[in-house]
Amino acid sequence: MEQLSVTKAFEGELHRYKHSSSSTSTDMVFAVYLPPQAKNHSVPVLYWLSGLTCTDENFTQKASAFRMAAKLGLAIVCPDTSPRGLELPGEHDSYDFGSGAGFYVDATQPPWSGHYRMYSYVADELPELIEKTFPVSDKKAISGHSMGGHGALVIYLRNPGAYTSVSAFSPIVHPSKVPWGQKAFQNYLGADKDLWATYDATLLIQENGANTPILIDQGDSDSFLEEQLQPNHFEAACARANVPLTLNLRAGYDHSYYFISSFIDNHLEFHARKLMG
């Protein structure tokens, strides 16, 4: 790995690295915040998945998460949202597909299938690398925002027992039924709706349930709420599957990092309770 930077924050350190990924066959960048407790013993990890157009830096610079992470003794890992630098045809044509919009799936359709394998990268390759390289334990939780909330829910639900807990801000909970998800799935996965279902949190909950309570925060002034997010579908699926869900509809909040930074401490404490028993 190549270290790109290291920055001290709340007596811990924020590191950025670039490494060659076997999942994406490209160089990938990720950030990891190590709280001060990591100097003395291994610490649990929260994986944060960002949304459309983002990189690892959106969360690290805007979420205001490190004060609480330092207090709790919680590492936070932030991967990128897609491979970079490939210059595939159409890769940069729109904000909601291609560069910055990997959707946390393993693409099956060319030209994306050779590189856009963000599910395998986040679910398998990155945790193995983190646990080998840094002073962290094998206890991990997962969270994310928007497209990253979709990714967090799907990775948690497809890997029962691997994560102690899951939460999300403004997640795309039923991508098979909304324009963002349909565009991504059609292009990355093709026309196979059964394959789409394996990356749809609402359908996964209906099929398999979940092992632990789920936490979601959603702003009621989010401009994407009605067309793209539709948390009512996931809420109904959780009710049918008897999965405990806390869905906080926050009055006046939108889709931005102002919203995330307002409630990120609640999510970190939620995960810390699970991670630390």
Side-chain angles (χ1 to χ4, degrees):
M1 294 192 301
E2 176 188 353
Q3 186 172 72
L4 302 178
S5 65
V6 57
T7 306
K8 189 170 183 178
F10 300 103
E11 301 305 316
E13 292 181 339
L14 175 65
H15 298 251
R16 292 188 80 220
Y17 288 90
K18 180 169 69 174
H19 73 109
S20 178
S21 167
S22 59
S23 300
T24 66
S25 299
T26 61
D27 285 342
M28 295 294 294
V29 172
F30 68 88
V32 52
Y33 176 72
L34 297 173
Q37 294 87 339
K39 298 171 186 175
N40 300 315
H41 57 79
S42 62
V43 296
V45 185
L46 173 68
Y47 288 83
W48 173 269
L49 308 186
S50 291
L52 291 168
T53 75
C54 291
T55 70
D56 60 288
E57 292 186 293
N58 292 77
F59 181 86
T60 60
Q61 294 179 6
K62 297 179 180 180
S64 303
F66 297 146
R67 182 189 297 274
M68 181 58 72
K71 177 181 177 181
L72 296 170
L74 183 62
I76 304 178
V77 173
C78 304
D80 203 346
T81 54
S82 77
R84 304 282 177 173
L86 296 167
E87 305 304 326
L88 299 175
E91 188 176 25
H92 311 305
D93 289 355
S94 59
Y95 80 95
D96 55 358
F97 179 77
S99 181
F103 255 84
Y104 304 102
V105 303
D106 282 349
T108 60
Q109 302 300 300
W112 316 101
S113 54
H115 302 282
Y116 275 68
R117 298 179 54 80
M118 290 299 295
Y119 175 87
S120 289
Y121 177 70
V122 172
D124 300 320
E125 182 180 0
L126 187 58
E128 182 179 352
L129 177 63
I130 295 296
E131 290 170 20
K132 283 182 178 179
T133 308
F134 300 100
V136 302
S137 71
D138 59 358
K139 289 188 174 183
K140 56 186 182 290
I142 193 163
S143 186
H145 171 230
S146 194
M147 177 186 73
H150 142 74
L153 291 167
V154 166
I155 289 171
Y156 169 80
L157 292 169
R158 285 181 53 160
N159 296 275
Y163 299 86
T164 64
S165 48
V166 63
S167 73
F169 288 84
S170 314
I172 305 169
V173 295
H174 202 2
S176 299
K177 298 297 183 182
V178 300
W180 276 343
Q182 290 170 342
K183 180 177 180 178
F185 286 4
Q186 183 67 50
N187 285 281
Y188 290 137
L189 304 176
D192 184 353
K193 296 295 180 67
D194 290 337
L195 182 56
W196 290 22
T198 66
Y199 293 104
D200 188 307
T202 295
L203 300 180
L204 288 169
I205 278 281
Q206 291 177 177
E207 184 71 21
N208 301 317
N211 294 328
T212 63
I214 296 171
L215 172 64
I216 292 177
D217 272 83
Q218 171 66 61
D220 73 356
S221 293
D222 189 324
S223 59
F224 303 113
L225 177 57
E226 297 301 325
E227 182 180 21
Q228 305 282 10
L229 306 178
Q230 302 181 10
N232 55 296
H233 291 296
F234 190 70
E235 184 177 33
C238 285
R240 289 192 294 271
N242 293 316
V243 174
L245 170 67
T246 299
L247 174 58
N248 297 314
L249 195 61
R250 303 293 189 178
Y253 285 90
D254 59 13
H255 200 71
S256 72
Y257 266 85
Y258 296 112
F259 169 50
I260 295 170
S261 64
S262 297
F263 299 103
I264 190 64
D265 285 359
N266 296 355
H267 285 242
L268 297 180
E269 290 174 328
F270 168 79
H271 291 294
R273 287 193 295 272
K274 306 293 184 181
L275 287 164
M276 300 171 189

